Amino acid sequence: MTRSESGDADATAEYVIVLDVLRHGRQGDGQRRFDAEPIAYALGESDFRLLELTLVEDADVSIGDRLVVSPTADREAIQSVEEVSYDDLSNTATAEVEYVVEDIVEANEQRFTDFYNDAQPITLRLHQLNLLPGIGKKLRDKILEERKRHGPFDSFEDLQERVSGLHHPKDVIVERIIDELQDNDVKYKTFVRNDG
């Protein structure tokens, strides 16, 4: 199932975006090329998990496709799903990650604007906003003061206009998600689901 039509999809379905398709499996996995099962690397839309999908033979799947991976869904093109790390991805998949993350953040702007609206302290000394690249104590305090005085932010543009010094709020979120994907040792994973 690729590129689902809105309205027909199950609200609980878990969607991924395909980052790369290897029609003859991974190189160097010990299998002869014609025996290897086709695989795809994908990124979860809601939780940013990196997945390796084992595809059925002749699956009509391409880079950029949106697939359902929920266990209960009709996964006609997918045999199995396994979580992988950033280092497991193919070169093509790693090149696609940033573009796909940008697209997801842009398509879900309210979700990520709400992060700025709802961010709370983690400890007495650390706030969720401080986890974002380039946001130190001064900028964090400006964001908190602005949302307290004038209410929640409506969009990335609203954030940028109301908080001097916060020039690219979308890019800051994208950079944090990429950092969380690339580094398994990040202490606080805010956007990427961490099952490990």
Side-chain angles (χ1 to χ4, degrees):
M1 175 178 183
T2 59
R3 303 254 183 227
S4 154
E5 294 82 38
S6 60
D8 297 341
D10 177 3
T12 61
E14 182 181 350
Y15 290 97
V16 297
I17 306 298
V18 176
L19 301 170
D20 191 14
V21 179
L22 304 174
R23 301 269 176 227
H24 302 288
R26 272 182 246 96
Q27 291 205 357
D29 65 1
Q31 292 189 10
R32 293 177 296 182
R33 302 277 295 154
F34 55 86
D35 289 343
E37 294 176 310
I39 64 167
Y41 292 109
L43 180 69
E45 275 189 351
S46 63
D47 58 13
F48 296 101
R49 287 186 310 147
L50 292 168
L51 302 172
E52 181 181 293
L53 314 174
T54 302
L55 304 173
V56 298
E57 203 62 41
D58 301 325
D60 183 19
V61 174
S62 301
I63 293 173
D65 281 353
R66 184 176 189 239
L67 303 176
V68 176
V69 294
S70 307
T72 57
D74 178 21
R75 301 186 322 197
E76 59 195 43
I78 303 169
Q79 287 184 42
S80 64
V81 177
E82 181 183 334
E83 197 162 337
V84 294
S85 72
Y86 187 85
D87 294 335
D88 295 326
L89 297 178
S90 65
N91 290 339
T92 300
T94 56
E96 287 293 314
V97 166
E98 186 171 347
Y99 300 112
V100 172
V101 169
E102 282 181 20
D103 289 347
I104 292 170
V105 171
E106 208 166 274
N108 297 279
E109 183 174 355
Q110 191 58 57
R111 171 185 167 197
F112 296 101
T113 300
D114 284 345
F115 175 78
Y116 287 97
N117 290 327
D118 301 333
Q120 298 295 317
I122 297 171
T123 67
L124 289 174
R125 293 183 168 186
L126 183 63
H127 196 281
Q128 284 180 311
L129 290 171
N130 294 124
L131 299 177
L132 299 177
I135 297 188
K137 187 177 187 302
K138 284 184 179 180
L139 194 49
R140 175 203 67 205
D141 290 347
K142 283 182 184 180
I143 294 167
L144 294 174
E145 183 62 26
E146 184 60 30
R147 80 180 192 195
K148 182 180 178 182
R149 294 176 124 222
H150 301 286
F153 302 102
D154 298 330
S155 64
F156 291 137
E157 185 179 354
D158 186 33
L159 263 158
Q160 195 167 321
E161 287 174 5
R162 290 171 49 190
V163 181
S164 65
L166 184 60
H167 302 294
H168 304 283
K170 179 189 89 172
D171 296 344
V172 169
I173 296 279
V174 169
E175 187 177 340
R176 176 61 191 194
I177 293 168
I178 300 295
D179 288 348
E180 289 182 22
L181 285 168
Q182 291 176 342
D183 187 356
N184 286 329
D185 296 328
V186 170
K187 187 171 181 179
Y188 298 103
K189 293 224 174 183
T190 304
F191 301 105
V192 176
R193 187 168 99 191
N194 185 10
D195 290 339

